[in-house]
Amino acid sequence: KAGVTQTPRYLIKTRGQQVTLSCSPISGHRSVSWYQQTPGQGLQFLFEYFSETQRNKGNFPGRFSGRQFSNSRSEMNVSTLELGDSALYLCASSLGSPVGPGSEAFFGQGTRLTVV
Amino acid sequence: DAKTTQPPSMDCAEGRAANLPCNHSTISGNEYVYWYRQIHSQGPQYIIHGLKNNETNEMASLIITEDRKSSTLILPHATLRDTAVYYCIVRVLVTGANNLFFGTGTRLTVIP
């Protein structure tokens, strides 16, 4: 079965612009989470969506937002881009329901965002 | 915040077992230990998880101490493709919430 798909794979944006990244989860998965990875801060949790609702949120400013559609596909948006937003943005999907062990997350290949 | 401590780097000879330790001394009774790895420039890959019993799958074995304050991931016959950063994570599985808090991980280098 198809894995987690993130588009685009690479993106270059100018400071002050906004950007939208897309994530298609594994079929049947209802939870989508977003992570930011930078050399300085490592892998950091941004937010999680489950059944079109934000269920958990990390410690990021309001410029970072997301949404989830009825087909579980998710988008994240970053407004007013800053140089420090340059990072690898990763999306992960999981079943998301309280099924106990087995709710491992499957990650996409990520979107490499460069802000110039 | 990450609740685990791992050595920053380790080397392992190809074909030998790689033993990656993780300290999680503040783990709660309802928290599981998960291991992921990230090969350069790819998304993290799930390896294995456990609560208190030792676990084994096709990729690795997970040994959790009886007091659950530490664990060891064992790759029985390391290959060059196992060179990656390995992350040990503790998480609660009450709600199925998919919010993982990664630490700095261990960079494993498998040497030919």
Side-chain angles (χ1 to χ4, degrees):
Chain A
K1 92 184 159 178
V4 179
T5 304
Q6 291 189 245
T7 57
R9 290 293 312 277
Y10 302 92
L11 204 51
I12 299 175
K13 288 287 188 178
T14 303
R15 193 169 44 179
Q17 288 186 312
Q18 68 97 24
V19 68
T20 299
L21 311 180
S22 179
C23 173
S24 293
I26 292 172
S27 177
H29 285 189
R30 297 166 63 193
S31 165
V32 174
S33 292
W34 289 90
Y35 296 81
Q36 181 196 66
Q37 185 170 29
T38 61
Q41 299 299 318
L43 263 163
Q44 294 186 286
F45 170 73
L46 279 157
F47 32 66
E48 179 204 9
Y49 285 86
F50 178 75
S51 293
E52 302 178 64
T53 301
Q54 188 179 89
R55 183 160 69 171
N56 290 287
K57 188 177 187 303
N59 188 26
F60 277 80
R63 300 186 297 107
F64 293 82
S65 63
R67 59 177 175 168
Q68 187 179 34
F69 302 95
S70 59
N71 61 358
S72 293
R73 190 178 70 85
S74 176
E75 290 180 346
M76 70 161 282
N77 185 77
V78 188
S79 62
T80 320
L81 283 166
E82 301 176 359
L83 296 179
D85 297 332
S86 294
L88 179 66
Y89 289 89
L90 291 157
C91 161
S93 79
S94 74
L95 290 170
S97 56
V99 294
S103 295
E104 59 265 29
F106 295 86
F107 285 79
Q109 294 288 68
T111 294
R112 173 79 59 185
L113 172 66
T114 301
V115 182
V116 298
Chain B
D1 291 330
K3 298 177 61 176
T4 62
T5 304
Q6 299 177 253
S9 64
M10 293 181 64
D11 292 338
C12 178
E14 188 177 18
R16 303 298 293 270
N19 297 280
L20 293 93
C22 178
N23 183 295
H24 32 79
S25 57
T26 60
I27 192 170
S28 302
N30 62 349
E31 288 183 313
Y32 286 73
V33 179
Y34 273 67
W35 284 82
Y36 285 79
R37 73 180 182 184
Q38 187 174 27
I39 297 170
H40 183 63
S41 296
Q42 297 183 20
Q45 176 190 23
Y46 165 79
I47 301 173
I48 198 169
H49 72 275
L51 180 63
K52 55 183 177 181
N53 297 319
N54 297 339
E55 303 287 346
T56 296
N57 63 19
E58 65 279 3
M59 287 183 67
S61 295
L62 174 60
I63 309 297
I64 302 174
T65 58
E66 192 168 341
D67 63 7
R68 304 210 323 122
K69 293 186 176 181
S70 65
S71 62
T72 301
L73 177 74
I74 301 172
L75 307 178
H77 305 287
T79 71
L80 298 179
R81 289 178 295 180
D82 292 322
T83 292
V85 178
Y86 287 76
Y87 296 97
C88 169
I89 300 166
V90 296
R91 60 179 294 212
V92 178
L93 279 178
V94 174
T95 64
N98 183 4
N99 52 327
L100 303 174
F101 293 93
F102 289 82
T104 53
T106 295
R107 183 173 298 278
L108 175 69
T109 302
V110 180
I111 302 169

